[in-house]
Amino acid sequence: GSEFVLDATKPMTIVTQFLTDDGTDNGVFSEMRRLYVQDGQVIANSFTNWDGIDKTDSISDTMCSQSKQVFGDIDDFGKKGGLKKQSEAMARGMVLVMSLWDDHDA
């Protein structure tokens, strides 16, 4: 609602950036960043706030690895090559599929 920085009752644009290690279209995927645009204003994603996870507002191999450690999960993504392997898969071509999830406990 209107009491939040981002008002979910109003239209918004979600921008997802796939950043590479060298800043070019041919570099290795190294970071995913999300921004929101509403009423002409760009709103940055929030920062992490967990002990053991470096303060960040994006997804990177470091953030994924630290998250797995903090939450006691197996780092399967890292074992399979992380963002570098995902970069290789993206270079072969992918189709974007979106899904809306509802968490009744949230």
Side-chain angles (χ1 to χ4, degrees):
S2 60
E3 68 272 20
F4 297 103
V5 173
L6 191 61
D7 185 347
T9 66
K10 294 169 47 178
M12 71 181 85
T13 300
I14 301 172
V15 178
T16 304
Q17 298 172 314
F18 297 87
L19 307 174
T20 62
D21 59 348
D22 65 2
T24 71
D25 290 345
N26 297 318
V28 175
F29 176 38
S30 61
E31 180 181 12
M32 183 170 58
R33 180 175 305 277
R34 180 156 299 148
L35 305 167
Y36 308 88
V37 181
Q38 190 169 64
D39 296 331
Q41 179 184 2
V42 176
I43 302 163
N45 201 24
S46 59
F47 283 89
T48 54
N49 187 20
W50 285 91
D51 290 337
I53 303 174
D54 295 341
K55 183 178 177 179
T56 185
D57 63 349
S58 64
I59 295 173
S60 66
D61 280 333
T62 299
M63 180 270 197
C64 289
S65 176
Q66 290 174 347
S67 295
K68 293 297 185 180
Q69 290 176 10
V70 166
F71 296 111
D73 294 332
I74 296 169
D75 188 5
D76 193 51
F77 183 69
K79 288 179 184 178
K80 292 180 177 173
L83 293 178
K84 182 177 187 308
K85 281 293 189 184
Q86 187 168 346
S87 182
E88 293 169 8
M90 291 170 73
R92 293 190 297 270
M94 292 186 156
V95 174
L96 176 64
V97 176
M98 298 185 74
S99 176
L100 180 62
W101 290 51
D102 182 23
D103 183 352
H104 66 274
D105 289 328

